[in-house]
Amino acid sequence: MASDPPLEALVFDAYGTIFDVYSIAALCEQIFPGRGSALTQLWRGKQLEYTWLRSLMERHEDFAHITEAALRYACAASGLDCSASDRATLMQAYLTLAPYPDAILALPRLQRFPLAILSNGTPRMLEAVLQNAGLAETFSHVISVEEVGVFKPSPRVYALAPARLGVDKSKIALISSNAWDIAGAAAFGMQTFWVQRSGLPMDELGVVALKSARNLLELVDELLHTRSRA
Ligand code: 2OP
C-alpha cells in the first residue's frame, strides 16, 4: 500500500526461498529409484506439519530433529526401508541444499539494505547451508527460531526481526516463498513479499502479500525503487 513506510531492512526465509528443499530429490531418487520426488514432497510436507503441531502442543524440538523425524515418517509411510546410514546421508545433504539461481543473482543487488535470515532452521543448519552456498557473508543477521523455542508463524518468531535489527516492524520486509510464512509476518505487521515459486494461489489466511513475484529477481526493482527510501 502507498501508506507503507519506506523499507529499512529485508528479512528472508531460508528453506524454499533461498534454498531449494526439492533439490534433495535427486539424492532421494538415487537411494530409492523411482520414489525420489514423491518421498521429497511427503518429507517436506510432514516436516512443516510437525513444526506447526509441536508449536501448538508446546512441545518444541529443533528443526534438525523434526526434519529427521519427518524423514523417518515419510519413508515408513512410503513403505521404504531407510537405513540409519541412508538417513544420515540425507540429513547431511540438508546442510548443502542448492541455493536458487535467482537468489544468487538478486542478493548482491540488495546489499543497500541490511539483509537477514529468519528461519526455522537451527543455527548450525543455517550456518552450514549458507557457508556451502557461499552466502555466509551476505546476511548481517542469521536469526533462528531456536532463540524463542517456537516455530513460524508464531508472532514471537517475527518479533525477533525488529528486536535484532533495531528497525520498526513496519519498515521490515519479510520475503518468503511459503504462503503461511507470509501470512504470519503480515499478521505480525511486517511488509510482505511473496516469492510464488510453486505457482499455487495464496493461502486463505485472511492476509495477502504486498507484492508477489515468481522469483527473487522479479522483486529487486520493487524493493530497491518502489519500497525503499525516497
Ligand atoms: C524456514 O526456513 C521452514 O522455510 C521455513 O523457516
Side-chain angles (χ1 to χ4, degrees):
M1 286 178 290
S3 61
D4 287 289
L7 291 173
E8 294 185 10
L10 307 182
V11 175
F12 292 83
D13 165 65
Y15 300 103
T17 302
I18 306 286
F19 301 103
D20 180 358
V21 291
Y22 299 108
S23 62
I24 208 161
L27 180 57
C28 289
E29 181 66 20
Q30 199 181 311
I31 297 173
F32 302 109
R35 312 293 298 276
S37 174
L39 178 66
T40 305
Q41 301 280 340
L42 179 57
W43 181 10
R44 171 64 172 175
K46 198 50 75 167
Q47 176 199 56
L48 293 177
E49 185 184 326
Y50 284 179
T51 62
W52 303 324
L53 290 171
R54 279 192 169 274
S55 292
L56 275 171
M57 290 158 58
E58 298 180 2
R59 288 287 180 277
H60 186 77
E61 219 187 32
D62 75 31
F63 202 56
H65 286 93
I66 281 195
T67 300
E68 185 156 6
L71 175 58
R72 282 200 303 272
Y73 174 88
C75 289
S78 307
L80 297 172
D81 177 20
C82 187
S83 67
S85 105
D86 286 340
R87 258 202 322 276
T89 301
L90 287 164
M91 287 305 297
Q92 184 61 28
Y94 226 89
L95 304 179
T96 59
L97 288 173
Y100 283 102
D102 57 278
I104 296 297
L105 292 171
L107 288 167
R109 295 176 56 190
L110 297 168
Q111 292 295 323
R112 161 201 303 182
F113 294 99
L115 305 182
I117 289 277
L118 179 63
S119 175
N120 281 344
T122 64
R124 176 181 174 275
M125 290 173 80
L126 293 170
E127 181 188 349
V129 77
L130 286 163
Q131 187 70 41
N132 177 71
L135 294 172
E137 307 308 318
T138 302
F139 300 94
S140 58
H141 295 74
V142 177
I143 307 167
S144 164
V145 302
E146 288 311 297
E147 294 189 39
V148 287
V150 68
F151 290 107
K152 296 175 174 180
S154 167
R156 284 188 283 149
V157 170
Y158 301 106
L160 288 169
R164 293 285 173 285
L165 293 166
V167 173
D168 187 85
K169 62 184 179 181
S170 65
K171 299 176 181 173
I172 299 175
L174 188 282
I175 298 153
S176 180
S177 69
N178 298 295
W180 51 271
D181 190 14
I182 291 290
F188 174 69
M190 296 162 88
Q191 297 187 44
T192 54
F193 297 80
W194 182 31
V195 186
Q196 197 179 7
R197 294 191 188 283
S198 67
L200 293 171
M202 180 69 194
D203 278 304
E204 298 285 339
L205 290 168
V207 287
V208 291
L210 258 182
K211 173 88 179 166
S212 62
R214 291 308 298 266
N215 61 59
L216 284 171
L217 269 176
E218 285 184 12
L219 281 179
V220 169
D221 289 341
E222 175 84 14
L223 292 166
L224 285 179
H225 307 307
T226 313
R227 304 287 172 180
S228 62
R229 288 186 203 85

